[in-house]
Amino acid sequence: MEDYLLAFILFLPLIGGLIAYNIPLKSGIIASSFLSITTILAFYYLSFIQETLWVFQFEWFPGFVMGFAVDRPSAMLILLVSLISFLVHIFSIFYLLGDRHKDRYYLKLGFFTFSMLGLLMSDHLILLFIFWELVGFSSYLLIIFWFEDIKNAKAGRIAFMTNRITDLILFMGLLMLLGSRNDGFISNLGPLSADASGKTIGICILIGIIGKSAQFPFFTWLPRAMAGPTPVSALIHAATMVAAGVYLLFRLFAIFDPYLLNWIASLGIITAFLAALIAAYQTDIKWVLAYSTISQLGYMVMGIGVGAYHMALFHLWTHAFFKAGLFLCAGSVIRYLSIQDPVAVVQDMRTMGGLKSYLPITFCSYFICMMALVGLPFFSGFISKEGILVGAFSWANQSQNGLAFSLPIIALGISFLTAYYMGKQLLLVFFGSYRGEKYLKRPQKSWTERAPILVLAILSLGVFYRIHFLGGDLSFLEYWLGIQPQVEGAGMTPMIASSILLVLLGLGFSYWNYGRQGMHKMKSFNSSRLSVFVQNGFYLDKFYMGILVPSFDWLAFKTSKIDTVLINPFVNKMSVSIVVLSKITDLFDKLIVDGLISLMKRIMQILGLMFTKFHTERIQMHFVSAIIGLVIILVWLKFAL
Amino acid sequence: MSSYILSLIIWMPLLGAFTLFFFSEFQTTGIKIVALASSLIQFLLSIWLVLGFDPNYGDHLLTSFQFVEKFSWISMSLGSFGRFNIDYHLGVDGLSLWLVVLSALITVLGVIASWNLKQQVRSYFMLYLLLSTSIVGCFLALDFFLFYLFFELVLLPIFFLIGLWGGPRRSYASIKFFIYTLVGSLLILIVMIALYLSVGVEDPSSQTIVHSFNLLHMMDTNYFIQGSSLAKDSLLRFMGMPLRAVAFFTLFLGFAIKLPIVPFHTWLPDAHVEASTPISVILAALLLKLGGYGLYRIAFSIFPDVAFNFGYFIAAGGVLAIIYGGLNAMAQNDLKRMIAYSSISHMGFVLVGLGSFTVEGATGGVFQMIAHGFISAALFLIVGVLYDRIQNRRIENFSGLASKLPGYSFVVMIVFFASLGLPGLAGFVGELLVLMGAFNVSAIDGMLPSWIGIGAVMGMLITAAYYLWTIQRMFLGKYWVRQQSWQSKMKDLEMREWLIFTPLILGIFVLGIYPKVILDTMNHSIELFIAHVGNLKIKP
Amino acid sequence: MNISEQLIEIQEHFEVISSEMILIIGSIILLILGILKIHLFWIKRFAAVVLLGSFLFAQEVQDLFFTETIIRDDLSYLMTQLLPLVTLGIFCFKEQRHQSYEFYFLLMSVLLGSLFMVGSNNLLLLYLAIELTSYASYLLTGFDFKEKGSEAAMKYLLFGGVSSAVMLFGISLLYGAYNSFYFNTMEFSVLGATGLLFFLSGLFFKTAIAPFHIWLPATYQGAPTDVASFFSIVPKTAGFAALYHIFKWTNELFNPFLEHLILLLAILTILWGTLSALRQTNVKRMLSYGVMAHSGFILPFCLHMETYSLFKYYVIIYAVMNILAFLFVQLHENDGDDLSLSAFSGLGIKFPFLGGISVVWAIALVGLPPTGGFMAKLFLFSTAWHYYESMDSLFWLTFIVVGILSSAASLYFYLRVPYFYFFKKDQGKKVHINKMHFAIMILLAFTLIFLFIQPNILDRFAPIINP
């Protein structure tokens, strides 16, 4: 029974995609209905799995057994993926209205969902890697969906290549791991050995994880991947695929030693911080969300690194809903504006404004999701984020090193940043007045647009996860994840309070920056704009502006420079140098290897010429040469006998 | 009937070729139908062979051959040198089984692919069918002489098929191909002779030693005559190296030219590029496998002791081919040339797998050969589709083909990604197995350093880079072709082309998703092969 | 033994040389027929009958005859069977304007001389036989009465004269050393060795072993093609057979010097022949260098009597493929042609059958399957490897390596004819062949392929009488 159920859950999206591909006119409806079945089955299954761990093993080829296994965390994520995928399918009906290649789109989307579900179900390193790659491949296919614009094609390629690099390093790690022990079942894995080979394996796997989850220094691909349709970004680059790295980290938590975990934690926090910083300076509506995603993923990675891995997984869950919601809202905005004004740069926030009254549902949902993201009480993000923060603090408490406290403190700082850039986005997009050139008309009402956004927004409310907004009652976790959360209770209250405070501060800061002033001025962001804000009378802020903002600015500038000056050129140079190298080897082939052959031929020809010379001279010469031959033989005879 | 099935499989195409004598040059349809029929029958027979094959037959490499046919063929007195014995000796095991099926399938597809041929149809198909016979013969021969005969016999049809129906530089390419591979086969010839004289059994009636070309005797050290040049106790040396080692390297070189490995590969891009599409398909999908198969069946099985000592160098050569081939592929502007170089790169995995001396690695090598058979056939057919239409295949002349030719682009995507080793498609499994072998060995007894595996993985990365780049340049972006006159000729795949691509793509999927289909029948033989190699490695 | 006993013996022994006798009588009748102005058509038929008779009456005995002057063994039996057949094959070539009854007479004289060369156990008889072949050869070389042919004949005559002188000098030294003309009485002595060397170098002149081969290309090129084909087989194999008999007695005496010398000369011959052939554009000249390389291949095996079956096999296949090759070339020859490669351009499309034939002889001469040429090379290298193995001799190894390399290189020039045939642009040439040529070429080509599939068939042809 379970076998069939799981098989249905796994294959229905793919089958739906295939059927949808063959019936282009109804593709959206068909694919979505298949997904709805998947989602319902996943729900059903989740209640089914409570007690038992489901295992299915098969021999892939002789002597090589692989298997699926589903326990409660993965079952939960299966539900998450199928649900969000379902919503995205629905939203896509609205978003791709009138696109000629919808059929292809739903096939790709179904394929992606299939791969992602497979990834979550697999219990074997190689099987996991197979789906891991398929996920990357299908995301590539979705990014290049509008391939006629070469920029999208390039973006897809770069995204896939970055993934491929880290994936192959992961692959090496997995193979080495497999080589050193007999079976590759994740549920059977013990800790890595402490020697150099164990370290190598750990680092390889870690690189794979940070590549997929877009962590520093591999995060540049994610904003590029925004070239795909926005629902795709919601599904892949916010909720599911990028979370695969975090999921794998969660799965392999047991095999890493504490030393490596500390590194993971530091890496996570660095990423979270840098990404948040960058997000604050973005103008593209999707890029802000992309960097925000990176930042939140860094948060989760840090959470696992400090040992709060259940909390990190929970954050993965909550983040999936609100970030998908945010992306879908952004999609709604973009779609609306591009219908109104086909030639405009529809993703630039500087040209938006005042959309609150045109898209009220979108605005409301956006607001809820944003509140969840910044982590205000009563919203889901608050619970999970505070959980990670608490974990980080208790980890820092336990560690001997005083430096360890920098982690939770930076994490707090990120709360501020997050609130700042999200507030800014809210203000720029929805408040004020429209800064574009066209006159805006009212949008047509479409339930396929509104329903998914609303569902996601509602699921971002805190009530679904915990009754008391500050207390230690984590009934959802207990029930669904089957864990006993270690919450330090009251000792952490100041920390939580300061977190809320920082969030509010961030929101306020953004409001001061962008809310108070007339929106018509918002054509660009620069420090001079910020100094005007300082002159407007916040003396406390003046201190910040005089010292922090320039350094802030400098830091942000420098950080983005890592992108543009260091990493991109490096990648470019690498690819250029590989091309050059390949040209050289090609030349080598032509000149040296072929050249040697030609040289041999030449020598043969010269020899041949020499020998033919013999025959064209006068006849006396022939006698002479023959006699010389005879004489030589006679001389030899004299010595030989 | 089933006791002669191997002979039937081998000679079926040749029978077809003889039938063609009764056709006039102008009955082209009849000629094509005969060619198709005989190759189809061959394919069906090979499927029957698979159905009758017992996967767990025999408990030693030397006794694991099935459907054996053995007749004395030439038994010639050489005066005081005893008798010269050549047997007609065929047999199949798990290693060769699927290569036979692959050859039969590719032959059928090649006939369909050459369906539109207009000039000298009869000679073309006669040569083509002769080629098919000799390739399958190679895979089934258990007598070294017979093997060598088929191995050499491959050269002539290919020489003419490239030289007469090829591209503009065809004569250069065919001569280059011929000379390269002839040198290779002459190297094999020397070793064959030396082996022949070293292997023998005493004839009880006349008290003389009867030499033979029996491959199974050559694999068994007991059959080596004491004191002969290639016996294990031989004291003969050549340039300070034991003669056995020299013989192994000579054989290795001979097959490596065919495989090919860097730096003996330059015949390959030229030959592939100048050959017509069906012939490049045969070249890539089958001919390269002869080299790989020769390494398995002959070089490694006969000289396991030497091979084992040089596993490191063999695998290193494989890695060199992987990376070098990949880098070169990246530099090419001609699509066909790029694919030709990628073949070099992929064949490197066979060497790495062999050099690892593990069951996984060896299985991976064979699997890689079969998977590459499917993939490379499809790749060259892809080039052929373009070339058929507009006689051009330079990458920079096209852009955005995906919007104009969706079906074609669909096929291209599948095949390209299969070639770059996307899991779920055939290319991945072979590479996975080879790398498992390589990393296993490096983890367990350190025979291969781990950089071998790392290098091979780097090669996969390069492969991904050039395929993705090509997809982007040719298939994505705005639709554009260089010349106006091409516009009208750019049509999507027609029925006949789908007919060719469908079995290949099906194969790619089946092999990628459920490799057990073929690995089940192969596994036992490979285990015996590795046991054979390992058995000799324990003894000093 | 007194005179009468000797006479009786001679009388009895005539039966043994019946093939030679048939040839002698036949050629005399042929001359008479010629003088009687019988039509050439009948003369040719008559000559063919004579040859057939000499083939059929070859005697299968093993001993010394005519007071030990004539030796009969496996080898001579083989030759008395093979050489008349080869000559018969030469008759099948396209008729040229130079042919007259003298032509057939001369061919038969050469054949007669060759047969005596094979059968002689006596230096003097050998010398006489060689001179018989030589004189007839000089005449045949210039038989198309063109300037080039005459020049070649002149050259050949000059070389032949010198080599005869050297050979005679060698014979005199040998006689001085042993006081005998018989091979089987020789012993080791330095004088004998010197004499033998002079004598051998004379023989090497005749068999065109480097560095005494210089006459060969010019002569072959200048001579009519059928004559060249004849030269390349009949006197040549006879010369090798004579060497066999000489070495049978002398190899032991001068070991290992003789072996090393012969191997060295063989290697030199192979190299010289192959390398020179590489750049030839004239097909006859190219083939003649190929012939030379083939002589190098077979030369070392004359040293060892036990390689007889190899020798037999090699010579038969060599004869078949050479006849085929020269016949093929001759069919393309028109008057005044110098038969450069370009004469073959693009004919393959019009004459696929001829193209196929050209492939068969080319790969047979290179030594590739599925032709007897491959089997011949295979046996040859197997035997060579056996000697290398048993003697651990660097000379043999070098021979094998050079032989293999030269085979690879020879592909390059032999295959140029089919290459031009198929791959070059048509130049509008035409080839006229009649049914007989067609049949003969098919027969020869199939023989070549059949000899690959069933080489043991040769066991029936001139079997080893005394295994």
Side-chain angles (χ1 to χ4, degrees), chain B residues 511-522:
Chain B
L511 291 185
I513 294 170
Y514 197 60
K516 204 165 177 253
V517 174
I518 69 166
L519 289 178
D520 255 355
T521 38
M522 198 189 279

Side-chain angles (χ1 to χ4, degrees), chain B residues 299-317:
Chain B
F300 276 64
S301 296
I302 295 179
F303 301 106
D305 46 339
V306 189
F308 187 75
N309 290 333
F310 293 101
Y312 171 71
F313 294 101
I314 292 161

Side-chain angles (χ1 to χ4, degrees), chain C residues 232-279:
Chain C
S232 75
I233 305 167
V234 176
K236 199 156 197 138
T237 46
F240 280 112
L243 278 175
Y244 242 110
H245 286 142
I246 295 166
F247 288 139
K248 185 179 179 180
W249 305 111
T250 51
N251 188 23
E252 295 280 306
L253 298 180
F254 303 105
N255 222 357
F257 165 73
L258 200 56
E259 183 142 354
H260 290 176
L261 172 69
I262 296 295
L263 275 168
L264 207 67
L265 290 182
I267 292 167
L268 191 64
T269 309
I270 295 174
L271 278 178
W272 204 313
T274 315
L275 292 176
S276 314
L278 281 175
R279 271 174 62 89

Side-chain angles (χ1 to χ4, degrees), chain C residues 23 54 60 139 156 165 203 219 278 282 318 347 395 405 407 411:
Chain C
L23 274 178
S54 87
E60 204 178 322
L139 290 171
Y156 192 17
L203 253 181
T219 306
L278 281 175
N282 183 290
Y318 170 82
L347 291 172
F395 282 90
L405 288 180
S407 294
L411 176 87

Side-chain angles (χ1 to χ4, degrees), chain B residues 124-140:
Chain B
Y124 175 88
F125 279 106
M126 277 162 80
L127 287 169
Y128 182 88
L129 292 171
L130 174 64
L131 179 63
S132 164
T133 284
S134 32
I135 289 173
V136 178
C138 273
F139 291 137
L140 291 176

Side-chain angles (χ1 to χ4, degrees), chain A residues 21 58-64 100-101 104 107 111 126 129-131 133-134 137 140-141 144 147-150 153-154 157 160-161 164-165 168-169 171-172 175-176 178-181 575 578-579 581-590 593-594 597 601, chain B residues 172 176 180 263 265-266 270 324 327-328 330-333 337 341 400 402-403 406 413 417 420-424 428-429 432-433 435-436 439-440 443-444 453-454 457-458 460-461 464-465 468-469 471-472 475-478 512-516 519-520 523:
Chain A
Y21 182 70
F58 61 95
E59 197 179 41
W60 197 38
F61 48 79
F64 191 76
R100 281 191 300 127
H101 299 298
R104 211 161 60 201
L107 179 58
F111 179 45
I126 295 302
F129 179 76
I130 288 174
F131 284 111
E133 280 292 282
L134 289 183
F137 172 60
Y140 165 74
L141 290 180
I144 63 166
F147 61 79
E148 294 196 353
D149 186 349
I150 196 74
K154 259 190 194 142
R157 177 166 72 92
F160 189 65
M161 267 319 282
R164 183 88 183 157
I165 292 168
L168 285 175
I169 293 171
F171 189 42
M172 279 194 308
L175 284 170
M176 284 188 232
L178 219 61
S180 62
R181 49 192 86 189
S575 54
I578 285 180
V579 170
L581 191 63
S582 63
K583 291 276 183 208
I584 290 170
T585 50
D586 183 44
L587 271 183
F588 182 80
D589 229 33
K590 282 201 185 113
V593 181
D594 271 3
I597 304 288
K601 218 166 81 188
Chain B
Y172 168 75
K176 194 172 176 183
Y180 252 101
H265 63 284
T266 52
D270 282 314
Y324 191 90
L327 285 174
N328 266 305
M330 192 130 144
Q332 304 307 322
N333 291 323
R337 227 180 154 74
Y341 270 111
S403 44
M413 282 297 257
F417 275 90
L420 70 75
L422 186 76
F428 174 71
V429 183
L432 168 74
L433 280 164
L435 290 173
M436 267 167 71
F439 279 113
N440 248 345
I444 292 166
I454 294 171
V457 173
M458 287 300 118
M460 288 171 78
L461 191 64
L468 285 174
W469 198 25
I471 288 175
Q472 184 200 312
F475 294 93
L476 307 182
K478 271 249 165 322
I513 294 170
Y514 197 60
K516 204 165 177 253
L519 289 178
D520 255 355
N523 190 43

Side-chain angles (χ1 to χ4, degrees), chain A residues 21-42:
Chain A
Y21 182 70
N22 288 309
I23 309 171
L25 286 178
K26 295 276 171 208
S27 53
I29 306 287
I30 291 166
S32 308
S33 44
F34 270 91
L35 247 296
S36 68
I37 301 172
T38 308
T39 315
I40 292 164
L41 286 178

